[in-house]
């Protein structure tokens, strides 16, 4: 039974905040700037990748700074929360006072930087939180945290569609709602940031030299890439390949809601049958779902909805079990967690950036145009990138798990 003093619901709320600021940005922002300001897909993809190159240096540095200021986490969190809320408003609400592409880059710099700062400190606090709870607490905390994250993604994904009938700019409502959730999440976690143990810094070297930690980072990169691919291309696939305009929001919610429902179930299964075994099973299920999406054509919306349920359920395992495995390893080799999750944050976001910089230009090269009638060749390339490429990446991730056997 959940004890009130554990306050794991606060971790779920804060995780929902981070999720609402993360993946939906890659789903909504590119299409918003294409539709509103006519920015090209290739330019947006290059900008996203360029910003992620900043993370190559920034995330590890933010991890290092957070480690040195771990007794001031509450201050770091307040600063990060203010920056991310203002940047979200600038991205979706304010009229760009600069060329739209430059404004897009500046606002996303604020979102990404604050997201990194908040994520690193939040997940590091989770390592210490789990260590103070009973045996198996990393998976228990992960259930709350990742379920909250998936609910946050669901709400962020569908909120523009829900607000569209009542607002000229539904993203203004999204930005306002995001600010409210940010305030509530920071308020809910206010008593957690002060509970930081006096642990010596272990440095990046200890983490990168550790075989299991290194393997988990590689698996995280390979496993995040399929999510990055599908997130980047989801709206284009539904609108152009399936010709199901108007169904983007419901299908997104179906996908992430399935993940949210399945997430605690995967966690309980991992406690009973072993994390690695359950994770591999979930990844095989996800691989099969992606494979069935490749031949879909116009009018196959119902079949795609079923695929969203299955692939979403599989995603629940990825988002719950892998962070729990990494947190458990950090508790052994780098107990403060901040530097380790600086690397984890970088790996996760690099996958999204790499997807944006490669996939969007490839689509343009093959003649794909947003909101226009596309050739069968262009649509076939869209299907291969959306569903075929994740299959290859999933196979590679499974191979690494079978070789490395992390957590065993």
């Amino acid at each position: 039974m959940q004890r009130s003093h554990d306050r794991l619901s606060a971790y779920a709320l804060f995780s929902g905040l981070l999720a609402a600021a993360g993946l939906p940005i890659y789903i909504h922002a590119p299409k918003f700037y294409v539709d509103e300001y006519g920015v090209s897909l290739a330019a947006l993809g290059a900008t996203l990748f360029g910003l992620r190159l900043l993370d190559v240096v920034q995330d590890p540095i933010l991890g290092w700074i957070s480690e040195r200021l771990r007794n001031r986490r509450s201050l770091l969190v307040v600063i990060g929360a203010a920056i991310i809320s203002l940047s979200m408003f600038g991205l979706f609400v304010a009229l760009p006072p600069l060329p739209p592409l430059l404004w897009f880059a500046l606002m996303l710099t604020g979102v990404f930087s604050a997201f990194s700062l908040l994520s690193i400190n939040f997940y590091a606090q989770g390592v210490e939180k789990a260590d103070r709870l009973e045996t198996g607490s990393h998976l228990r905390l992960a259930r709350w945290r990742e379920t909250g994250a998936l609910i946050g993604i669901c709400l962020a994904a569908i909120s523009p569609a829900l607000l569209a009938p009542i607002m000229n700019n539904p993203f203004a409502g999204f930005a306002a709602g995001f600010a409210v959730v940010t305030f509530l999440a920071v308020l809910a976690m206010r008593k957690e940031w002060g509970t930081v143990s006096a642990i010596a810094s272990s440095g990046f070297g200890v983490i990168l030299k550790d075989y299991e930690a290194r393997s988990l980072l590689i698996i995280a990169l390979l496993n995040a890439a399929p999510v990055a691919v599908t997130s980047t291309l989801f709206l284009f696939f539904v609108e152009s390949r399936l010709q199901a305009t108007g169904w983007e929001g419901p299908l997104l919610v179906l996908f992430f809601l399935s993940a949210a429902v399945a997430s605690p179930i995967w966690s309980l299964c991992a406690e009973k049958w072993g994390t690695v075994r359950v994770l591999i099973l979930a990844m095989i299920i996800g691989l099969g779902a992606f494979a069935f999406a490749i031949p879909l054509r116009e009018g196959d919306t119902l079949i795609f909805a079923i695929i969203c349920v299955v692939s979403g359920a599989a995603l629940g395992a990825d988002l719950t079990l892998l962070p729990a495995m990494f947190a458990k390893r950090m508790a052994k080799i780098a107990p403060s967690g901040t530097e380790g999750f600086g690397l984890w944050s970088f790996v996760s976001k690099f996958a999204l950036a790499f997807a944006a910089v490669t996939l969007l230009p490839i689509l343009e090269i093959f003649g794909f145009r947003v909101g226009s009638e596309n050739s069968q060749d262009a649509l076939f390339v869209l299907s291969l990138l959306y569903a075929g490429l994740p299959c290859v990446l999933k196979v590679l991730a499974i191979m690494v798990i079978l070789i490395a056997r992390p957590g065993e």
Side-chain angles (χ1 to χ4, degrees):
M1 181 180 294
Q2 171 65 32
R3 296 188 298 274
S4 60
H5 66 269
D6 286 347
R7 291 195 293 269
L8 295 186
S9 57
Y11 284 80
L13 180 59
F14 201 92
S15 187
L17 151 70
L18 291 174
L23 202 56
I25 290 297
Y26 281 88
I27 297 172
H28 295 309
K31 194 170 189 302
F32 178 77
Y33 273 74
V34 168
D35 293 343
E36 292 293 320
Y37 305 112
V39 182
S40 75
L41 287 175
L44 290 171
T47 301
L48 286 169
F49 185 73
L51 292 175
R52 283 313 185 212
L53 290 180
L54 173 65
D55 287 335
V56 174
V57 176
Q58 175 178 264
D59 279 12
I61 289 177
L62 287 175
W64 183 87
I65 292 173
S66 296
E67 170 62 29
R68 271 67 193 169
L69 298 177
R70 63 179 181 272
N71 290 316
R72 304 295 300 276
R73 275 184 188 164
S74 57
L75 176 61
L76 292 176
V77 167
V78 169
I79 292 172
I83 292 173
I84 202 169
S85 297
L86 291 173
S87 299
M88 197 72 74
F89 179 87
L91 183 67
F92 286 121
V93 182
L95 291 176
L98 303 170
L101 185 61
L102 178 57
W103 184 249
F104 176 83
L106 289 174
M107 292 302 99
L108 278 189
T109 298
V111 170
F112 291 163
S113 300
F115 179 89
S116 292
L117 183 65
L118 293 172
S119 296
I120 290 166
N121 284 277
F122 175 64
Y123 276 86
Q125 189 68 45
V127 173
E128 296 204 5
K129 179 73 171 182
D131 281 347
R132 290 192 297 273
L133 302 177
E134 68 275 6
T135 303
S137 54
H138 286 285
L139 283 172
R140 179 176 165 224
L141 175 57
R143 279 200 298 273
W144 281 85
R145 185 177 58 210
E146 305 313 325
T147 299
L150 291 164
I151 292 173
I153 290 175
C154 290
L155 294 176
I158 199 173
S159 59
L162 290 178
L163 294 171
I166 59 175
M167 299 184 69
N168 291 330
N169 179 7
F171 288 98
F174 169 78
F178 181 83
V180 172
V181 172
T182 300
F183 174 78
L184 294 176
V186 172
L187 187 65
M189 284 286 293
R190 68 190 184 283
K191 294 182 179 180
E192 292 294 301
W193 308 117
T195 56
V196 182
S197 304
I199 301 172
S201 171
S202 51
F204 295 116
V206 171
I207 299 166
L208 295 176
K209 289 177 182 177
D210 182 76
Y211 176 76
E212 185 172 332
R214 217 168 45 242
S215 298
L216 285 168
L217 287 169
I218 294 171
I219 294 167
L221 176 61
L222 291 172
N223 212 39
V227 180
V229 169
T230 54
S231 300
T232 302
L233 300 180
F234 186 92
L235 297 182
F236 305 124
F237 185 83
V238 174
E239 181 181 273
S240 300
R241 175 73 281 187
L242 301 180
Q243 294 290 303
T245 301
W247 282 94
E248 298 92 340
L251 288 170
L252 271 175
V253 171
L254 186 63
F255 176 73
F256 288 117
L257 186 59
S258 298
V261 171
S263 179
I265 298 174
W266 288 118
S267 178
L268 292 172
C269 290
E271 290 180 3
K272 186 173 182 179
W273 292 300
T275 306
V276 171
R277 184 181 303 175
V278 171
L279 180 61
I280 291 176
L281 173 62
M283 292 173 72
I284 292 173
I285 293 173
L287 173 62
F290 283 126
F292 276 102
I294 297 174
L296 294 185
R297 297 290 184 270
E298 178 182 348
D300 290 335
T301 307
L302 178 59
I303 298 174
F304 185 67
I306 297 172
I307 291 173
C308 285
V309 171
V310 177
S311 59
L315 176 68
D318 297 341
L319 296 182
T320 301
L321 302 185
L322 274 175
M325 292 170 69
F326 190 72
K328 186 176 180 180
R329 190 59 185 168
M330 289 301 99
K332 293 181 179 179
I333 66 170
S336 66
T338 45
E339 291 161 323
F341 279 102
L343 295 173
W344 188 265
S345 177
F346 160 69
V347 164
S348 301
K349 292 192 296 182
F350 180 81
L352 285 165
F354 189 76
V357 77
T358 54
L359 301 179
L360 299 181
I362 288 173
L363 282 177
E364 285 203 340
I365 289 172
F366 281 89
F368 180 81
R369 297 292 181 267
V370 179
S372 303
E373 186 173 346
N374 289 285
S375 68
Q376 288 303 310
D377 287 343
L379 293 175
F380 181 65
V381 170
L382 175 61
S383 294
L384 284 181
L385 293 177
Y386 175 80
L389 181 57
C391 288
V392 176
L393 295 167
K394 281 284 183 183
V395 169
L396 292 175
I398 292 172
M399 290 174 61
V400 174
I401 292 177
L402 291 173
I403 294 171
R405 306 299 295 187
E408 294 189 349

